[in-house]
Amino acid sequence: MHVGILTGGGDCPGLNAVIRAVTLALINECGARVTGIERGFLGLLTRQVRPLDARSVEGLLAQGGTVLGTHNRCDPFHYFGAGGADCSDQAMAYAHEMGLDAMVAIGGDGTMSIAQRFVEAGLPVVGVPKTIDNDLMLTDRTFGFDSAVSVVAEALDRLETTARSHGRVMIAETMGRYAGWIALEGGVAGGADVILLPEMPFDLEAVADYCRAREKDAGYTLICIAEGAAMKGEGMTVRATLPDSPDPIRLGGAGQVLAHRLEPLLGSEIRSTLLGHVQRGGSPTPYDRVLATRFGYHAAQLVRSGNFGRMVALRGDQCTSVAMSEVAGRNRVVPPDDPLLRTAMGIGVMLGQPT
Ligand code: F6P
């Protein structure tokens, strides 16, 4: 059996751990030949591949990023390098020429959408869900999320001491696109006083009132805002638009905007820190190393049993699989009845709503 592996979309901690687990499981359990496809689906068009074996995946478990490289703009069905033309035939022809029996695509909703189209075109693909945003449908967790949350928690710990010393309002902005999972879990883990999520447009006056009250009482306020959070009646803060990307909007700057809008309403000074790609870099946490290894092993089992068009998923504590078509192009946001959201409210975290 000859199996290809690729990583698509934005990188995240744990990708290498999945590559390692898929490769080792396929070699150990069925003597498969494994080939890494470089830079996501682009490698199928540019014919950039490399063999993977037990030796080449050594030391990958704890290594951040992806040794295969990735690409967040290459959709062979709408290839920017050819003016948006459908070049999928070229990719399929190369996969056949290599003699690929199956492919494992590790990525987010965009990668799953493309992978699903390849399944429909006749290439057997298994998906593995990755993203620090934790916003993929039908899986309770994606690997990379825990690592991002630990970065946010550590940043808030550090911002708290300086906020307290100076009696300031400190704002930390997290990633997460249209979902508030990183801000919610990172904010709770880092003891934020205010957590602002894309799912709950916030009331600026209410946030100002809360900060004023803390000015008198604690003397400082720690705010954790998701990049997708917006004031009631206003839009999200867009950092850039990339027309040749399948997901063209890049959010960023919500924390700075909040600082500008809050400052005139408060007596205290405000500083905003954009955590940015620091959340995506570096070594995966032990939780993510284990989850990535479980996902990689499960993906190898799906390949071996011929369960294609499926994405590995975590439901409760069990690894299972779901139809890739049900995940493609959809996002999972924080529901109003999320238990952690209720917990945060219950312990008095301000979520941007008037009392
Ligand atoms: O989806 C992962 C993510 O890190 C988002 O949280 C963020 O909005 C986006 O990717 C950033 O993308 P880029 O790496 O293109 O700036």
Side-chain angles (χ1 to χ4, degrees):
M1 182 185 277
H2 185 187
V3 182
I5 306 180
L6 64 79
T7 52
D11 73 333
C12 86
L15 285 168
N16 284 326
V18 179
I19 294 168
R20 170 179 175 269
V22 172
T23 303
L24 293 177
L26 286 171
I27 291 172
N28 287 341
E29 295 195 337
C30 60
R33 177 176 160 211
V34 185
T35 294
I37 296 155
E38 298 180 357
R39 303 202 70 199
F41 291 101
L42 188 62
L44 287 176
L45 297 175
T46 57
R47 299 178 163 242
Q48 287 170 284
V49 299
R50 69 167 92 161
L52 293 174
D53 56 21
R55 175 57 58 86
S56 59
V57 299
E58 237 165 56
L60 287 192
L61 179 63
Q63 201 175 305
T66 162
V67 287
L68 294 178
T70 186
H71 209 288
N72 59 7
R73 300 194 200 181
C74 182
D75 174 357
F77 293 88
H78 190 79
Y79 180 43
F80 69 91
D86 183 350
C87 295
S88 57
D89 283 356
Q90 231 175 283
M92 288 293 284
Y94 185 50
H96 285 133
E97 195 184 309
M98 280 195 287
L100 286 190
D101 299 299
M103 200 167 75
V104 175
I106 313 166
D109 55 312
T111 301
M112 294 309 141
S113 305
I114 299 168
Q116 174 59 26
R117 294 193 68 182
F118 274 114
V119 170
E120 285 158 16
L123 183 65
V125 187
V126 160
V128 181
K130 76 80 228 193
T131 169
I132 64 163
D133 302 339
N134 202 31
D135 64 349
L136 255 75
M137 292 300 289
L138 304 179
T139 181
D140 293 345
R141 285 262 159 165
T142 51
F143 66 88
F145 174 62
D146 187 67
S147 304
V149 164
S150 78
V151 172
V152 174
E154 192 198 335
L156 287 170
D157 287 350
R158 290 174 183 276
L159 291 171
E160 199 266 352
T161 60
T162 168
R164 184 194 290 270
S165 304
H166 286 265
R168 283 173 169 164
V169 173
M170 281 286 186
I171 302 173
E173 177 184 324
T174 73
M175 281 188 166
R177 288 200 303 181
Y178 309 112
W181 298 108
I182 301 178
L184 176 60
E185 199 155 307
V188 169
D193 306 302
V194 180
I195 299 177
L196 303 173
L197 309 177
E199 294 84 352
M200 300 172 73
F202 61 90
D203 184 303
L204 185 67
E205 283 299 335
V207 175
D209 286 347
Y210 183 86
C211 294
R212 268 188 225 107
R214 277 194 59 90
E215 242 167 58
K216 293 200 193 94
D217 171 16
Y220 72 100
T221 306
L222 202 52
I223 301 180
C224 182
I225 182 171
E227 63 181 1
M231 271 168 257
K232 280 186 180 146
E234 298 194 9
M236 294 181 183
T237 311
V238 175
R239 171 170 53 87
T241 304
L242 311 174
D244 55 0
S245 168
D247 177 19
I249 303 295
R250 292 294 179 277
L251 300 173
Q256 198 57 42
V257 169
L258 175 62
H260 282 310
R261 301 288 287 270
L262 263 185
E263 214 145 32
L265 305 177
L266 300 181
S268 55
E269 283 184 286
I270 303 180
R271 298 286 186 271
S272 176
T273 303
L274 193 145
L275 301 177
H277 292 78
V278 168
Q279 294 159 95
R280 251 173 46 189
S283 182
T285 57
Y287 177 91
D288 274 339
R289 293 179 200 184
V290 173
L291 186 62
T293 302
R294 290 178 69 194
F295 276 6
Y297 176 73
H298 201 81
Q301 303 314 305
L302 291 175
V303 168
R304 287 184 65 197
S305 56
N307 268 302
F308 298 112
R310 309 287 297 174
M311 183 191 81
V312 177
L314 187 76
R315 306 309 286 271
D317 195 35
Q318 296 300 310
C319 268
T320 177
S321 73
V322 296
M324 221 145 58
S325 56
E326 288 186 45
V327 176
R330 294 168 69 199
N331 291 131
R332 188 175 70 94
V333 297
V334 179
D337 62 346
D338 181 74
L340 188 58
L341 196 60
R342 282 209 306 268
T343 303
M345 278 181 211
I347 62 166
V349 174
M350 205 271 175
L351 295 165
Q353 309 308 308
T355 44

